[in-house]
Amino acid sequence: MKKTEDGYKAMLNLLRDIGGNAGLQSMPQIGTILEPPPNIKVKWNGMVLDKKWFYIDDYWLQGHTRQIKGHIVSATQNRSGGGGDAMFASHNHDIDNDYTASIIYTDTWHVGDKILMIPIQGSDNKTVKQFWILSKGKRLDGN
């Protein structure tokens, strides 16, 4: 592979060389975000696909809410009161409580992000009808 060659395309070309086009449509694909949700557009295989092509993991949609619960054991920081009286000496308070909370996601994909696209085949078992988008990936070598 040349240093300037796209690693993702090189991998797909290698797989294509090994098996021809057999099963290529059902293999996971890599797309590039051109516009984030809700009006998502993805560049894939030289084409621009819009939102009608995708199922998207809820976690990637801004405003997605999750409920959490847990238990916290901690203590407040030491604080002292005024006047120098013993009852105002530096002290803390133990925390030992159950909690519930809501998390509202505010992040999403950004232009240029690489995403993993799993093809969903049509009833003919040959053509891709839609994609399921699972995640965003980042290469650690800077390419």
Side-chain angles (χ1 to χ4, degrees), residues 7-9 12 15 17 25 27 36 43 62 105-106 114 116-117 123:
Y8 301 115
K9 285 183 182 177
L12 290 173
L15 292 171
D17 291 342
Q25 291 294 324
M27 294 178 60
K43 184 176 181 181
Q62 288 181 327
Y105 288 82
T106 59
K114 300 289 186 190
L116 178 62
M117 301 165 52
S123 58

Side-chain angles (χ1 to χ4, degrees), residues 15 26 94-95 141:
L15 292 171
S26 63
D94 289 335
I95 300 171
D141 64 359

